[in-house]
Amino acid sequence: MDAARWTAVQTLFEAALDCSPAERDAFLRAACVNADGVLDADLYAEVASLVNVEVHSLLRGLAVDAVDLPAMLSMEGERVGPYRIVRELGRGGMGIVYLAERDDGAYEQAVALKLVKRGMDSESIVRRFQQERQILARLAHPGIARLLDGGLADDGRPYFAMEVVEGEPITAYCDARALGVGARLALFERVCDAVAYAHTRLIVHRDLKPSNILITDGEAGPEVKLLDFGIARLLEHDGPGLTWSGLRPMTPEYAAPEQVRGEPVTTAADVYALGTLLYELLAGRRPHALDRKDPRALEAAILDAEPPRPSLAVRQAVTIEGDDGPRAVTPEGVAHTRATTPERLTRRLAGDLDTITLKALAKEPDARYSSAEALADDVRRHRRGIPVEARRATAGYRVRKFVMRHRVGVATAAGIVAVLAAVIGFYTARLAAERDRAQLEAAKATQVAAFLGGVFQSADPNETRGDSALVRDVLDRGAARIGELADQPDVQAALLHVVGEVYTTLERYDRADSLLSASLGLRRTLGSPPEEVAAVAVSLARLRDYTGDYAAADSLFRLALALQRGALGPDHPDVAVTLHGLGAVHYRLGRYAEADSLFDAALTIQLQHFGADALEFAPTYDFLGILADEMDDVDAADSLAQRALAIRRAHLAPPHAELAESLLNAGLAKRTLRRYDEAEAYYLEALAMRRALYGEQHSDVAHSLNHLASLHYNRGDYDAAERYAREGYAIRLALHGPHHVEVGASLGNLARIQEARGDLDGAEQTLRQNLALIRATVGPEHPYVGATLYRLGRIDEAQGRLAEAEAAYREALALYRAVWPDGNQRVGDACHALGALLAERRPAEAEPLLRESLRLRRADWGDDDVRTARTRGALGLALARTNQTEEAERALEDALRVLRAAGTDTTETQRFFDALAVLSLQR
């Protein structure tokens, strides 16, 4: 079939599609009459075969979609307008894109020149290409490929010239560079911004997909370029060439349901395509597994099937059809191309990102984001830790355990009144409903009310006259009267629990322990429901956690977990709370892998019950952030901390203990990222809240002071660091005595400040005191033991006790490797210390240690960091000793380059210089 014949077929095909099925045959018989008035039977048969073939509506479009085009002749070297074609870049259903150069002598310029294929220049397609030129001429945005020129070729075909974009499809670009979720979202925001700009010009793209979204590496970083508005639809009119019966140019995998149904297309279709793109960027696959070979199944999937949440999709291994055939997609592979693990990726996507993506993919246009700009705004809000607008509507947040609701309020007399008033309401309702024993339960409720009324009277300000001991006095009076309820053991057990929790909050741990233990024993004796026994066990477990009795805490949490799972089921929200508590204990014991698994299990349950920004998520996100910081995943730590803080800011009015906790964790993440000013702002806000809640003598205040000490140590302000550290140490010592793990944390902080100030004897004495304390409280295999040994090794080395230093470094390294078998900053530090110590005395032993340290430090800090340079220099010394001269010279030269640029002038630097000089003389 030649080009002229094909043009006739295409033109008649398009015209026939505009006719109703009943009119088509008559139209074709009339239209296929030749100049002699005779029916051209071959032409009629060709067009009729295309029109009448049962092509599913989703795939119906141009006649070219049903048959193969004739081979296209090469146009290399030909001239189109003022341009000479260099080579073909690509082709689509209608047009071919060429690399071309301006060839009229006016100026030099390379362009991407788009030209209608020969044989396809029917009247309708020419109109469509002319419309594309008009659309692109109205778009001037850095994220949209610019239209530079346009006109008609000598054969009458329209062309336009655009800027050349040498980039990669966005999905391929992100995967090739293993970009994390944050970097992918940043690029996606810019795609949305470009689409939103086009929408403000009343232009819908209608075929957004990765191949039309290229990323280039610019001087300022990656740049987004949107291509191919050739099937865009102007919203301001439906002129000729823009409304076609049966013609719905689209890519099915990214097509919105209304496009598949043939309904009018609006900006909502682009929002849907953006949702599909976001899903693919996050989950490594598209929302639907589509089979192009089965159009009806394909249509059903788009119209009816609900895609799984991205956080669930990344857990599933699937086989998908790609351009190059079937391709296996595994959780490990998807996570690897996002620089994380399947577990962490699941947590990163769960919540906000699931909700944002699925809102963009809603089946009905009205249920999606109102615009691409609104979608981009929600992504930005998520990245900044602000609650997103797409959160699911809920009537209210699930009522938490009674004591958990009031842990902070009990810090004031008004709080105690609120707690005790709530007890009346809770138990009056509960007792009145239980076992249908109305009269007896009413009597119990009356007794509770009378009992608490006496407590309220003792808290009357007219009686206390502003006594500073008001809170403890009121609580002590109430606790003393609990014994009056011995004939009502169920009520007595409940009040022992409540008041025990209050004492825990006030850090009167001995009183709390006796009351909670009595409540637990009474509950067991009474045969109370398992969930009530579990609630007391959880409270007592938290108390044991606070006092550093981690073995008892672990046992109590496990007891509660078994009771809750049996009574409430494995996926009850209370089970998630207990899993979180158990995870916190494992974190404090240095069992980070177990802690991570427990927090992940808690989060999985919470996701089933609560909205994306529910308050219940905050403590889990907080601890996951702390754990990520320990594991050197600093970006994840920052993201999780910001998410927890945003949730708590949205729900809790300051001052609030839980809000202060999230502020402190946000500061920790910023400190790890060396954004010290931001960290200090968070730390000071948390400290102010804690002082407002508790006064000066409280462990949470000491905790804040210890973090501020660490911050100022990092800044090099050792005076401020020591002042904060000693203030926190004094509070902890007064509260807990000398044998508590938190006292050890303060001692560790003091020791490193002493070392930095050159007081090596003082630092050594403090560290040895701390080492004995930590081994006694958390055991000999805790990473804190490793950290203390590592610091002792540095002091031994500085004082010339090399054998002692080597032993300390080796023990620290063994402990670190047991906790972080895949490597970690601390492993890198210990490898460096031991390797540098051995570099010139036993270089063969030193070399593998230094190479391991270099690998880890490069991964964490980059090639041009001083720490990496010091390890490279130490490796150079070891290599020089084993006659690996060329590599030794390179290592020493690279180390000196970085150290000199940083202004580092130490004895170590001089050793590197001297070694390099010796090597140069030898050569």
Side-chain angles (χ1 to χ4, degrees):
M1 185 186 297
D2 61 18
R5 185 71 167 182
W6 174 254
T7 299
V9 170
Q10 174 68 57
T11 301
L12 289 171
F13 171 79
E14 293 173 359
L17 287 179
D18 283 329
C19 300
S20 68
E23 298 171 337
R24 283 177 187 162
D25 189 66
F27 165 79
L28 285 177
R29 290 186 180 278
C32 291
V33 172
N34 60 25
D36 299 327
V38 178
L39 177 68
D40 186 333
D42 291 338
L43 179 60
Y44 169 81
E46 185 69 35
V47 179
S49 69
L50 294 173
V51 172
N52 296 325
V53 70
E54 187 179 356
V55 177
H56 191 273
S57 63
L58 181 64
L59 304 181
R60 189 182 302 144
L62 304 175
V64 70
D65 295 330
V67 298
D68 292 330
L69 278 174
M72 300 295 297
L73 298 176
S74 171
M75 291 191 65
E76 185 175 330
E78 292 189 28
R79 185 159 172 159
V80 176
Y83 302 97
R84 189 167 300 280
I85 292 176
V86 177
R87 58 183 170 86
E88 182 179 322
L89 294 176
R91 61 178 67 198
M94 298 179 297
I96 303 179
V97 182
Y98 298 96
L99 176 66
E101 295 175 344
R102 189 138 189 138
D103 194 39
D104 60 356
Y107 52 87
E108 294 182 358
Q109 184 177 35
V111 300
L113 187 141
K114 189 166 187 177
L115 185 66
V116 175
K117 291 178 182 178
R118 284 193 176 101
M120 291 192 61
D121 44 349
S122 65
E123 180 181 354
S124 173
I125 292 180
V126 169
R127 286 200 307 269
R128 287 164 68 180
F129 264 73
Q130 289 172 336
Q131 186 64 66
E132 184 172 9
R133 284 173 47 197
Q134 294 172 16
I135 290 172
L136 288 169
R138 296 167 55 188
L139 299 177
H141 186 277
I144 298 175
R146 291 181 297 118
L147 175 68
L148 303 173
D149 193 7
L152 294 176
D154 290 343
D155 59 4
R157 287 182 293 162
Y159 73 86
F160 56 82
M162 301 173 62
E163 66 172 307
V164 178
V165 181
E166 297 287 350
E168 299 173 64
I170 185 169
T171 48
Y173 180 94
C174 292
D175 287 350
R177 291 156 181 79
L179 296 188
V181 170
R184 290 168 184 256
L185 292 176
L187 287 175
F188 179 75
E189 283 179 27
R190 293 162 68 180
V191 174
C192 290
D193 290 341
V195 174
Y197 168 85
H199 288 177
T200 63
R201 270 64 181 170
L202 303 181
I203 298 167
V204 182
H205 190 290
R206 303 213 307 173
D207 196 26
L208 290 168
K209 55 187 176 183
S211 60
N212 280 337
I213 304 168
L214 301 188
I215 310 297
T216 63
D217 286 316
E219 293 182 2
E223 297 177 354
V224 170
K225 290 288 183 182
L226 268 63
L227 308 181
D228 200 356
F229 278 81
I231 59 172
R233 181 180 189 274
L234 288 176
L235 297 179
E236 54 194 356
H237 63 83
D238 273 340
L242 288 176
T243 302
W244 312 290
S245 298
L247 264 72
R248 284 174 279 154
M250 67 184 83
T251 302
E253 290 83 354
Y254 298 86
E258 62 268 26
Q259 286 178 280
V260 174
R261 290 191 294 261
E263 297 170 356
V265 175
T266 67
T267 56
D270 280 352
V271 171
Y272 184 94
L274 289 169
T276 304
L277 174 65
L278 179 59
Y279 196 107
E280 191 169 1
L281 286 170
L282 298 177
R285 49 176 277 194
R286 299 182 190 117
H288 299 292
L290 303 181
D291 183 1
R292 278 178 171 257
K293 297 175 183 178
D294 186 350
R296 298 187 193 285
L298 191 155
E299 181 179 64
I302 296 172
L303 294 181
D304 302 320
E306 292 294 339
R309 296 194 305 267
S311 62
L312 294 181
V314 296
R315 295 183 177 190
Q316 302 166 353
V318 295
T319 300
I320 62 175
E321 288 293 331
D323 294 336
D324 301 325
R327 177 168 61 91
V329 177
T330 65
E332 293 74 20
V334 172
H336 177 73
T337 54
R338 285 148 184 80
T340 186
T341 64
E343 294 77 15
R344 293 188 184 282
L345 182 59
T346 297
R347 290 198 299 268
R348 181 71 175 86
L349 303 186
D352 284 357
L353 292 178
D354 277 341
T355 305
I356 290 170
T357 307
L358 295 184
K359 181 176 176 66
L361 287 171
K363 300 297 184 187
E364 295 304 320
D366 290 345
R368 295 174 208 147
Y369 284 96
S370 60
S371 65
E373 183 179 13
L375 171 56
D377 283 345
D378 241 7
V379 172
R380 289 190 188 96
R381 292 172 71 85
H382 167 76
R383 292 181 65 219
R384 294 172 184 169
I386 303 170
V388 300
E389 297 296 334
R391 60 181 180 268
R392 291 188 292 274
T394 56
Y397 291 98
R398 193 176 186 87
V399 177
R400 307 178 78 195
K401 275 297 189 182
F402 173 79
V403 175
M404 289 298 292
R405 289 203 309 269
H406 295 285
R407 286 183 62 210
V408 178
V410 298
T412 65
I416 288 182
V417 173
V419 170
L420 298 180
V423 172
I424 292 177
F426 176 80
Y427 280 103
T428 298
R430 177 181 174 278
L431 295 174
E434 233 175 38
R435 305 172 199 162
D436 198 27
R437 294 159 60 183
Q439 291 183 343
L440 176 60
E441 304 310 326
K444 287 183 180 180
T446 301
Q447 282 187 285
V448 173
F451 165 76
L452 294 176
V455 176
F456 292 150
Q457 185 176 9
S458 72
D460 189 329
N462 292 320
E463 180 180 340
T464 60
R465 300 180 183 275
D467 186 350
S468 62
L470 171 64
V471 174
R472 284 182 173 81
D473 183 56
V474 169
L475 194 61
D476 289 343
R477 294 186 194 188
R481 295 188 60 188
I482 293 178
E484 299 172 14
L485 296 170
D487 60 335
Q488 299 295 335
D490 190 60
V491 176
Q492 188 179 47
L495 291 175
L496 286 167
H497 184 190
V498 171
V499 180
E501 275 281 358
V502 176
Y503 275 121
T504 300
T505 302
L506 293 174
E507 297 193 315
R508 296 183 65 182
Y509 294 143
D510 290 344
R511 291 288 289 145
D513 194 288
S514 64
L515 293 173
L516 291 173
S517 296
S519 178
L520 182 60
L522 195 52
R523 285 289 187 205
R524 284 176 153 175
T525 300
L526 292 170
S528 297
E531 61 271 23
E532 293 185 359
V533 179
V536 185
V538 166
S539 296
L540 189 55
R542 286 201 189 97
L543 172 63
R544 298 289 167 80
D545 182 13
Y546 299 153
T547 57
D549 189 353
Y550 299 128
D554 182 273
S555 177
L556 285 162
F557 275 128
R558 291 187 185 280
L559 168 65
L561 199 59
L563 291 169
Q564 289 169 335
R565 283 172 168 163
L568 305 174
D571 297 325
H572 193 276
D574 286 358
V575 173
V577 172
T578 305
L579 285 167
H580 176 273
L582 187 59
V585 171
H586 279 265
Y587 164 77
R588 280 185 257 279
L589 288 168
R591 301 170 187 165
Y592 298 139
E594 293 94 329
D596 187 64
S597 177
L598 288 162
F599 289 134
D600 184 62
L603 187 62
T604 300
I605 294 171
Q606 289 166 333
L607 289 169
Q608 298 175 31
H609 295 277
F610 306 113
D613 63 344
L615 190 58
E616 283 77 4
F617 285 124
T620 307
Y621 286 146
D622 257 335
F623 250 109
L624 284 169
I626 295 170
L627 194 61
D629 188 82
E630 289 284 357
M631 305 301 288
D632 290 343
D633 192 349
V634 292
D635 289 333
D638 187 42
S639 174
L640 287 161
Q642 289 297 320
R643 192 180 304 186
L645 179 58
I647 290 172
R648 280 176 164 160
R649 280 200 192 278
H651 290 279
L652 304 175
H656 197 286
E658 293 179 11
L659 182 54
E661 180 183 4
S662 286
L663 285 164
L664 196 77
N665 292 331
L668 172 64
K670 298 301 182 188
R671 177 162 65 87
T672 304
L673 290 167
R674 291 184 280 183
R675 290 155 64 174
Y676 297 136
D677 289 346
E678 293 176 67
E680 184 175 24
Y682 285 129
Y683 281 168
L684 291 175
E685 188 179 355
L687 178 61
M689 279 192 195
R690 286 174 164 178
R691 281 174 165 159
L693 289 167
Y694 306 124
E696 293 294 336
Q697 296 297 307
H698 194 278
S699 61
D700 281 359
V701 173
H703 191 211
S704 284
L705 291 168
N706 212 44
H707 275 278
L708 278 163
S710 295
L711 171 66
H712 286 284
Y713 170 85
N714 293 144
R715 279 177 162 168
D717 184 354
Y718 302 133
D719 288 340
E722 185 166 356
R723 184 173 65 253
Y724 281 121
R726 290 196 179 279
E727 187 178 353
Y729 172 68
I731 294 171
R732 284 172 164 170
L733 193 62
L735 288 172
H736 307 303
H739 305 299
H740 193 278
V741 67
E742 289 188 2
V743 174
S746 288
L747 286 171
N749 230 0
L750 278 169
R752 66 175 182 168
I753 296 166
Q754 289 172 310
E755 180 187 357
R757 304 190 83 156
D759 181 9
L760 299 186
D761 290 337
E764 181 183 358
Q765 182 179 352
T766 304
L767 283 170
R768 294 200 183 282
Q769 179 186 353
N770 191 34
L771 183 61
L773 173 59
I774 293 173
R775 281 174 167 161
T777 53
V778 295
E781 298 179 354
H782 197 283
Y784 289 173
V785 174
T788 307
L789 286 165
Y790 171 75
R791 290 177 185 168
L792 279 169
R794 293 201 317 189
I795 290 174
D796 284 333
E797 184 178 5
Q799 295 186 330
R801 299 191 294 266
L802 301 187
E804 291 87 342
E806 180 181 342
Y809 287 151
R810 286 191 185 280
E811 189 175 351
L813 180 58
L815 287 170
Y816 286 159
R817 281 179 168 158
V819 176
W820 297 289
D822 296 326
N824 177 279
Q825 284 182 38
R826 294 169 182 79
V827 175
D829 289 346
C831 283
H832 169 87
L834 182 57
L837 182 70
L838 301 175
E840 294 179 272
R841 295 187 296 124
R842 302 206 297 274
E845 286 184 54
E847 183 181 342
L849 291 165
L850 292 167
R851 289 193 186 279
E852 183 177 0
S853 178
L854 186 61
R855 174 180 63 82
L856 294 170
R857 287 186 162 184
R858 275 176 169 161
D860 288 336
W861 309 111
D863 277 323
D864 292 332
D865 185 86
V866 169
R867 287 159 290 196
T868 307
R870 291 181 59 235
T871 301
R872 194 181 292 114
L875 179 60
L877 294 178
L879 293 170
R881 290 285 184 175
T882 55
N883 298 318
Q884 299 177 65
T885 306
E886 291 186 7
E887 188 179 356
E889 283 186 337
R890 288 196 303 272
L892 290 165
E893 287 171 353
D894 286 345
L896 287 168
R897 172 182 57 79
V898 174
L899 293 170
R900 285 168 173 166
T904 303
D905 186 13
T906 64
T907 303
E908 185 179 45
T909 307
Q910 186 61 46
R911 286 169 60 208
F912 297 160
F913 179 81
D914 292 344
L916 183 60
V918 170
L919 289 175
S920 299
L921 288 173
Q922 289 175 348
R923 295 190 62 170

